[in-house]
Amino acid sequence: MKTFITAALLTATVLSTPAMAFGVPTHTLIPNMSFPEPVQEPVTKGQTNPSK
């Protein structure tokens, strides 16, 4: 019985390996991490001299 279970597991592993290797698209697992360029804020009188 132990030999039969081992043979069944090995057969299932060998038969499912190609399906697992080619079935999962890896380009969708990691999200796109591109961010837009920051917009420069206009300088006003309050922002030029923060010590006062």
Side-chain angles (χ1 to χ4, degrees), residues 2 11-12 14 16 18 20 24 27 29 31 33-35 37-38 41 44-45:
K2 193 175 188 181
T11 304
V14 168
S16 65
M20 290 171 49
V24 178
H27 66 278
L29 295 177
M33 298 298 288
S34 61
F35 297 99
E37 292 292 324
E41 295 181 16
T44 61
K45 186 177 180 181

Side-chain angles (χ1 to χ4, degrees), residues 13-33:
T13 303
V14 168
L15 293 177
S16 65
T17 301
M20 290 171 49
F22 297 113
V24 178
T26 57
H27 66 278
T28 58
L29 295 177
I30 301 171
N32 186 5
M33 298 298 288

Side-chain angles (χ1 to χ4, degrees), residues 1-14:
M1 185 70 177
K2 193 175 188 181
T3 307
F4 175 74
I5 294 173
T6 305
L9 286 175
L10 272 171
T11 304
T13 303
V14 168

